[in-house]
Amino acid sequence: MPQGSVLGPLLFLLYIHDLPQPVKDIAVPVLFADDTSFLIANSNSGNKNKDLRLVLDTTQKWFKPNILLLNYDKTTFMQFSSNTSCKSPVNPQSIGCKINFTNSTKFLGIMIESSLTWRKHIDYTNCKLHSLGYILRSLRPVLSLQIIKQVYTSYVH
């Protein structure tokens, strides 16, 4: 199926529809288009390591017969905690994982931080709005107000 086709996403979702089943007792699977996330909730550090390893092993076992590979360059691990809670860090490398640890990631257009603050998302959005503001100001002398409003609605609103 060519990339960008109308049927591509639908066929992909049909192909992976049973991926969440093997791990649903350990983690909460979140699937959207071709993005897959697993949420593991556990306050015990030892159990976190065990659950993470189990989810990764189970996912890898599902991938092999389905002729898929996990892209380790795009796979990240993030541990969430509030500023007030004590962290018991999980190190994916300590349990034999090839995935990278990160403190923030972009998920469905939102920058999410492990500290559960909005600082990175606000900075990210602010940066995008500044550049779009510059573009709108640059277009003002050459385009009508109606077309500038359409550009604003398309890219900003």
Side-chain angles (χ1 to χ4, degrees):
M1 184 63 55
Q3 186 172 352
S5 67
V6 176
L7 279 178
L10 176 63
L11 293 175
F12 178 76
L13 289 175
L14 289 172
Y15 190 71
I16 67 159
H17 82 281
D18 62 333
L19 170 62
Q21 296 304 318
V23 295
K24 68 179 180 180
D25 294 334
I26 313 157
V28 177
V30 179
L31 281 75
F32 182 82
D34 63 347
D35 287 334
T36 304
S37 299
F38 294 105
L39 307 175
I40 301 170
N42 200 319
S43 59
N44 183 323
S45 181
N47 288 344
K48 280 187 236 178
N49 286 336
K50 185 181 112 192
D51 289 349
L52 177 60
R53 181 77 254 162
L54 193 56
V55 167
L56 287 169
D57 288 345
T58 305
T59 304
Q60 286 288 49
K61 285 178 187 171
W62 182 91
F63 274 27
K64 194 170 185 172
N66 287 287
I67 314 166
L68 294 172
L69 293 172
L70 180 63
N71 186 344
Y72 288 104
D73 293 334
K74 292 184 176 183
T75 303
T76 58
F77 168 81
M78 183 168 34
Q79 182 175 345
F80 294 100
S81 66
S82 67
N83 290 334
T84 57
S85 72
C86 64
K87 288 186 178 183
S88 53
V90 173
N91 183 358
Q93 282 73 28
S94 70
I95 56 174
C97 298
K98 300 177 193 173
I99 60 176
N100 297 315
F101 181 81
T102 185
N103 287 318
S104 66
T105 189
K106 190 174 180 184
F107 180 70
L108 302 178
I110 297 173
M111 293 297 293
I112 300 176
E113 296 174 77
S114 60
S115 61
L116 301 174
T117 64
W118 289 100
R119 182 145 336 274
K120 287 212 184 223
H121 183 70
I122 291 168
D123 293 343
Y124 169 76
T125 304
N126 192 28
C127 183
K128 283 182 72 173
L129 288 174
H130 275 281
S131 62
L132 288 168
Y134 173 77
I135 291 169
L136 291 175
R137 284 190 303 277
S138 300
L139 292 175
R140 206 159 101 199
V142 292
L143 296 176
S144 70
L145 182 61
Q146 180 182 4
I147 293 176
I148 292 175
K149 284 181 181 178
Q150 288 176 341
V151 171
Y152 166 81
T153 303
S154 299
Y155 289 101
V156 180
H157 189 70

